[in-house]
Amino acid sequence: MKKSVLAIAIFAITLISSTDTFAQKWKKLDASPMDASTYPDNWRESNKVLKVVYGRPQLKGRDLAKLAPVDKIWRTGANEAAEITFYKDVVFGGKQVKAGTYSLFTIPVAKGDWTVILSTAKNVWGHYTYKEEEDVVRVSGVVSNSSESIEAFSMMFDEDMTLKMGWANTVVSVPITAEM
């Protein structure tokens, strides 16, 4: 009887201590989680025109110019460069763009409109490997001010398909129309 109790106790201790060994090691929540916006944004509409996937950095009391440096290439978000997929040919900021997936870079400025860039580079981390010769188009992103501060960098599409990128009190807009 003592041997049975001892065997069960050893088995139980082994089982309890081994569960941690085989447990999944899940990563913690990313500080700048990935997000996506589509047009149209109604989940019931499956015939999308475009989708943008991007990281959402947060201000956390920091200055926008430190996070999106003035007059320098910025990955337009956090982590990987933002990627925008057009499922149809479009006019992006007044320039024709073929259907496909592009990286989205920006050049913030202190005053005036930002430069918004579509690049053929894909699946790139940050802006560190950015090459101007991979640009498809460069357009002007019209800057306006938000009355409320936007804590986490955000992208959305207006009802008229204008891309809006907002962070802090800055909103950058690029008009998009679908080719018919």
Side-chain angles (χ1 to χ4, degrees):
M1 178 72 168
K2 286 183 182 181
K3 287 183 181 182
S4 295
V5 171
L6 182 60
I8 292 172
I10 291 172
F11 177 73
I13 291 169
T14 303
L15 184 63
I16 291 169
S17 64
S18 68
T19 57
D20 211 28
T21 306
F22 297 110
Q24 293 285 331
K25 298 292 182 193
W26 298 102
K27 291 166 62 175
K28 65 181 177 86
L29 184 62
D30 193 340
S32 300
M34 196 168 275
D35 200 359
S37 290
T38 62
Y39 184 87
D41 69 351
N42 185 333
W43 61 272
R44 292 180 183 176
E45 175 65 51
S46 62
N47 191 21
K48 303 292 185 196
V49 176
L50 56 96
K51 173 175 72 173
V52 64
V53 177
Y54 62 101
R56 297 191 69 189
Q58 299 172 35
L59 288 174
K60 295 183 180 179
R62 300 173 290 182
D63 184 43
L64 177 60
K66 292 212 185 250
L67 300 168
V70 171
D71 297 324
K72 294 187 178 171
I73 290 288
W74 180 51
R75 64 184 125 197
T76 316
N79 305 325
E80 295 92 352
E83 284 190 349
I84 189 164
T85 300
F86 300 105
Y87 300 106
K88 301 175 181 182
D89 293 350
V90 298
V91 176
F92 182 82
K95 296 189 178 178
Q96 301 252 338
V97 176
K98 294 282 184 199
T101 299
Y102 305 92
S103 286
L104 179 66
F105 296 100
T106 50
I107 302 174
V109 295
K111 292 193 187 282
D113 295 342
W114 290 19
T115 301
V116 181
I117 304 164
L118 297 181
S119 170
T120 58
K122 289 190 248 355
N123 196 28
V124 294
W125 180 264
H127 60 276
Y128 310 108
T129 59
Y130 169 80
K131 296 178 185 121
E132 190 171 341
E133 58 268 16
E134 295 176 329
D135 289 1
V136 174
V137 296
R138 283 180 171 229
V139 299
S140 182
V142 178
V143 172
S144 60
N145 292 317
S146 170
S147 58
E148 293 183 27
S149 182
I150 304 164
E151 174 63 25
F153 175 71
S154 300
M155 288 195 216
M156 61 167 284
F157 298 98
D158 271 355
E159 289 177 11
D160 66 355
M161 207 179 346
T162 297
L163 170 62
K164 301 274 186 171
M165 299 176 278
W167 205 12
N169 293 97
T170 302
V171 176
V172 179
S173 301
V174 179
I176 303 171
T177 55
E179 293 281 294
M180 298 299 169

